Amino acid sequence: MTTVTDQHGHHHAPELRNSTSDQPQGPKAATTTTNSCAWAAWRRVDVAEAPRQDTRMRSRTAGMWWGAAIEAPEPGALARFYSELLGWPIGHEEPGTSIIAAPQGSIYLVFQQAADYRAPVWPPVDGEQRPMMHFDFQVGDLDSAVADAVALGASLAAAQPQENVRVLLDPAGHPFCLCLDED
C-alpha cells in the first residue's frame, strides 16, 4: 500500500477507494446517546427527511477514503490486534506506523507510535488522561464477541454502564465498545 505523508507527519492511503458504490459510506447522521451505541442512533435516522445546508467540504466526493489515526506505544501490535478482531487486512507497515483497511473499501485506521503515550482512564477520572475517542462495533452475540476480543488481548473494563454494551480495553488501553442491537 502506498502512503502519502502530510505536513503534520500523518500517513494517508490515497488509493483506498470504494469501488462498489458511489454512495457515501459510514454513519450518515451520527448522534450520541447515553442509552446505546452511537451507531444505533444514526442507523434509525432518515437523512432524506432532515433539512440540510451544503456545508460539506466541496473537494470531498463520494468514494473518497477516510480514517482515523490512533496513537499507541507499539503501533504494529495494536494494528495486528484490530486486524484480527475485525478481519481487516494490514495494508501497510513501516517503523512507527501501521495501517489496516476495511475490505469494503474506503475506511482505514492508522496506528502511529507515540513516545510519551499514556493510556486513557475508563471511566474518566478528573486529572487523568481521558479517552478522546472510542470505537463502537455492532455484534450479533455479546458473550462470544467479548470472549473473542479477550482471547486476542483485550480486557473487560470494570465499569459496564449498559446491559447491551460491553466496554473493553484494547492492548494499549484504549476503550472500545461491543454493542448488541436486537431491534
Side-chain angles (χ1 to χ4, degrees):
M1 176 183 291
T2 304
T3 62
V4 175
T5 304
D6 68 17
Q7 69 271 25
H8 305 290
H10 297 119
H11 300 278
H12 303 281
E15 75 282 0
L16 293 177
R17 302 284 189 267
N18 183 346
S19 60
T20 60
S21 170
D22 287 334
Q23 298 301 311
Q25 302 298 304
K28 294 178 182 160
T31 57
T32 303
T33 66
T34 56
N35 295 328
S36 65
C37 292
W39 61 265
W42 70 257
R43 74 179 185 85
R44 293 184 183 97
V45 173
D46 183 355
V47 294
E49 296 175 13
R52 288 190 52 180
Q53 294 179 331
D54 190 10
T55 57
R56 66 178 174 82
M57 292 182 285
R58 290 181 296 273
S59 66
R60 228 180 121 64
T61 59
M64 288 185 162
W65 56 264
W66 67 272
I70 296 96
E71 292 187 347
E74 297 179 36
L78 195 58
R80 284 187 292 283
F81 169 80
Y82 279 106
S83 174
E84 290 182 36
L85 182 73
L86 301 173
W88 293 8
I90 293 176
H92 176 79
E93 286 190 278
E94 64 184 61
T97 302
S98 293
I99 300 172
I100 66 171
Q104 299 89 337
S106 61
I107 303 166
Y108 73 93
L109 299 174
V110 177
F111 300 92
Q112 296 179 322
Q113 188 156 16
D116 296 333
Y117 177 77
R118 285 186 5 192
V121 175
W122 172 258
V125 174
D126 286 342
E128 297 293 329
Q129 177 64 46
R130 296 179 56 84
M132 300 299 286
M133 55 78 68
H134 72 272
F135 296 119
D136 287 342
F137 300 112
Q138 181 181 13
V139 298
D141 181 314
L142 201 51
D143 292 335
S144 69
V146 168
D148 291 343
V150 169
L152 292 169
S155 58
L156 194 61
Q160 297 294 326
Q162 297 169 243
E163 189 174 314
N164 66 326
V165 175
R166 290 297 171 273
V167 180
L168 290 96
L169 305 174
D170 71 21
H174 303 103
F176 67 96
C177 295
L178 300 178
C179 308
L180 179 64
D181 181 25
E182 297 177 320
D183 291 338

